[in-house]
Each structure stands twice: as C-alpha cells, then as structure tokens.
Amino acid sequence: MTAITFIHPNGRSDRVEISDGESAMQAATRHGLDGILAECGGNAMCATCHVYVDDGWLARLPAMGDEEDALLDGTACDRLPSSRLSCQIRMTLELDGLVLRLPERQV
Amino acid sequence: MSTLGSSSTTSTVPHLDVDPFAIEFFADPFPTHEVLREAGPLIYLDRWNVYGVARYAEVHAMLNDPATFCSSRGVGLRDFKKEKPWRPPSLILEADPPAHTRMRAVLSRVLSPSVMKQVRDGFTAAAEARVDALLDKRSFDAIEDLAEAYPLSVFPDALGLKAEGREHLLPYASLVFNAFGPPNQLRQEAIERSAPHQAYIAEQCQRENLAPSGFGACIHARVDEGEITAAEAPLLVRSLLSAGLDTTVNGLGAAIYCLARFPDQWQLLRDNPTLARNAFEEAVRFESPVQTFFRTTTREVELGGAPVGEGEKVLMFLGAANRDPRRWDQPDSYDINRRTSGHVGFGSGIHMCVGQLVARLEGEVMLSALARRVAKIEIMGEPKRRFNNTLRGLDSLPVTITPA
C-alpha cells in the first residue's frame, strides 16, 4: 500500500494510505483529515483542497490543467509556485511517499 | 407499491406507482425517498414512463458519465430529440461536450474563486445590513424578508442588471424549474403565464442592458476575446438569470429553517461562527433545494445491474441520494460539523452547479452575520411550503429573532 504525508501548518504530520488512482484529496477526506475541505467533491471547481507540494516532488506530478491554474488564483491562502489542488493529484506508484503541506485555511 | 415486472426489458427493475411531481409527494418526500431507495438501485416510474435512481452510488455515477447519460436531450422529462423545447435550450445546462466545454470554461472564469474574493466584502456588508434591519423588526417572514431579500439585494447588482423589472426574476426562475417537470398543473400554469417574464429576461441578457463591471458584462467581454459568439453571450447570461437566484433563495431558506428547527445546531454555530459555511453546505445536503434532474441514455447501458436501452429518460433523485444511509451516517440529522464533501445538492461532474461559489458565499456571510448578531431564532407560525417541480423550499416561515 502506498502512502502520502500531509503536514499541517503547526508542523504536525499525518501519513495516510492511498490507493492507486485515488486522488490525494480523496485520501485526505477518507481519513477525515482537517485542512482539506474539498467543497466541490473533486470536480476542480472550488479551490478548497489547496496544498503546497514539498520540495523535490513538484516536477514529478502530472502537469497542471488550465482549470486548475485559474482556480489556484483564487485560493484563500497565497498561491506559491508549489501550489496545487490535491483533487488533481492522482496516486501512482512513483508518488509513494509524496509530502504535501496544508495551508492555514481553505476559505 | 407494486413490483409488476410487466415488460421483458425491465423484468428485474421494480415498477413503482409513485408520482414524484405530485403536491402530496412534495409536501413530505422523505418517506417516499426511502421507498424509492430501498426498492432497488434502478426503478421504473409507471406514472411518467421513466427510469429513476435514488441511491447515492447510482446518482453519483450517472452525474459523472455524461457521455452515456447526456444533457443535450434535456434535463427535464421532455426529450428534445422528440419534442420541441419550450425555450431555446441552454448552451450549458442542456448541452454535452465538446459544445458544453467551451461554455463552461467561460462561466467558470466569470464565477471563479478569485472573482468571489472581489465581491466578498460587498456581499458581507449587505448581509450584515440585512440582519441589522431584521433585528429592528424582530418578527418577520424568514423567506420573503431574508431568504429572498438578501440574494435580491446582491445578485442582480453583481450581475449588472437594471433596477427596473427585477420583480420578473423569481417568477422566471420558478418557471424554468417547473418546466423540467411533467405536463402537470404546475408546469402548464407556469408556461401559460411565462410571456412577460421571458420578454424581460431576453431583454436583460443584451449587452447594452448590463452594467460594465458585472458578471453579465464579463460574459459579453468573452465575445471580444473570440471565446464565444455574440449570439451565444446573451444565452449564457440567461443561464445566470435562470439558475442564480431561486436556488440561493431556497438554499438560504433551507439553512434558516434548519437552524430554527434544531437549536442545538444553532448554538454550535453561535459558539463558533466559522462553521457558517459548513452549516449552509449541510443545509444544501439536508434539504436539497434542487431535488431532481433527468438525463437521457445515449446507448444501451447497464445501470444498477439492469439493462437500459438507448434514448431512455432517467430521473436522478438528488435529495434522496443526499440522505442515502449507504453513503451518510445518520442521514436524517442536520449536523453542521458533518463532512459534507461529496453531496450532490449542487450535482457533480461536468454539469455541477457553476454558481456554487456564489451560493456558498451568500450562505456563509448571511449565516455568519446571523450567528454574530442574533441569540435566538424562534418559529412563530406554521411554515408554508412552496411547490415546484424541481425546487424544494418554503413559501413563508414566520420567525422572531432576539438580539445577541
């Protein structure tokens, strides 16, 4: 079973198991993780599953689509070069061990 | 309820004699929703000769398979392939990819998270002013004076509509949502009275009638960028006029009705007003202001374990899916701390409500203003229901509020 780690703004980290093909957002909500809202349920329509991708991982993620790019302009916390929407990060074997940092807030 | 299995193609599908567009059904749909859900993953409604799905899994799956369950043949009972639509079809709601994709991109940008940031302060100030005015009155109708008055005070201005004629907005929206239903009295009467409302709407969709910085003007500006044609822009504006107001009115009405009925949840919100946004979201799940939509099959498909032929209408019970115990713990409880993500009150997939961010913004700032300023909301008389073929909501809700 592959796993990813979410790091909360206070430094606490949660390692969650994730199945192949599942999105990082789905894994987070399935585990009841605070800090990922996902108001639209994973349809890339709301920007409330914002994460900062930890150093080294960004280039290994699938490319960002136009919709995600536009939505990231409206995140509650500042958009950084490492910003992504976790509903658009689909799990593959290569992403085992991925580290995502959670923003202070999602709305 | 009878299981007839009269036709060979639907032999495994339970036939029900429920009319989900009858006034008696609308008055209290929940017991019947349970019957529909428990009858099976796929049901057949003999009253209107359509299939139906009332469980979360099937509703969610259909919403996310637009190639098989299309919208271009209408999202109401009428099949646009066989019958003429009552108005020119919507370019977004009643369209499939790839045509839909281009239109959706335009409206998504016009109503994006970054645009919401720009209008947020104005929407918040209007909500606070509305609550202050209601605190002066103390006793009022939470539907007319709050659930209708607040969206009417922000949305038409945000769109850039002229001040005159706005009294047509709610009747037009009510007509649109009634028209998705079968040819019952609600639909027939709405269409008979529709001419003045349709004329008003058609006029307001024109570029010259929309204020320069509003959502409407933003849509027309996409014509200059070559993203849409000058003929398409007014119809996209029409989508916001059709679906942007009555939905939020019923969403807000649902939230107030929930918080007034469940004082423990109101107290939780009072203690922590940052729960306002989720309290609204949970009301959308709990009451499902938009109860149903249809899709039409584009091919023979297996749905809920049974074969369904091409060209069949399937009715999706969003409200029943939002209370399916297979998906939700204690589905009949209004719980403002619930993880609501995944509910289908705004739909799901490519047709998921394009105005969901506006709805959430209105809901959040209004419930937050109430939670900070009001100690108690008491229901003072029998709530009256408003009947519509698609929308669920109240006609009046007499309340008295006490200042914090």
Side-chain angles (χ1 to χ4, degrees), chain A residues 25 28-43 45-48 66-67 70-71 73-78 107, chain B residues 60 64 101 104-105 108-109 112-114 117 120 277-278 281 339-343 346-353 356-357 360 364:
Chain A
M25 178 282 283
T29 51
R30 192 163 48 76
H31 286 86
L33 201 83
D34 288 339
I36 294 287
L37 268 187
E39 283 179 342
C40 81
N43 288 287
M45 293 173 188
C46 76
T48 64
D66 289 346
E67 277 175 3
L71 285 167
D73 286 338
T75 51
C77 284
D78 288 345
V107 288
Chain B
H60 189 264
N64 284 280
T101 313
R104 176 82 196 192
S108 297
R109 299 293 166 94
S112 72
S114 41
K117 279 184 175 175
R120 186 180 181 92
R277 198 171 169 96
N278 206 54
E281 198 75 27
R339 285 197 83 107
T340 51
S341 178
H343 79 77
F346 290 112
S348 181
I350 64 166
H351 290 284
M352 190 180 186
C353 176
Q356 60 183 283
L357 301 176
R360 289 197 189 100
E364 178 194 347

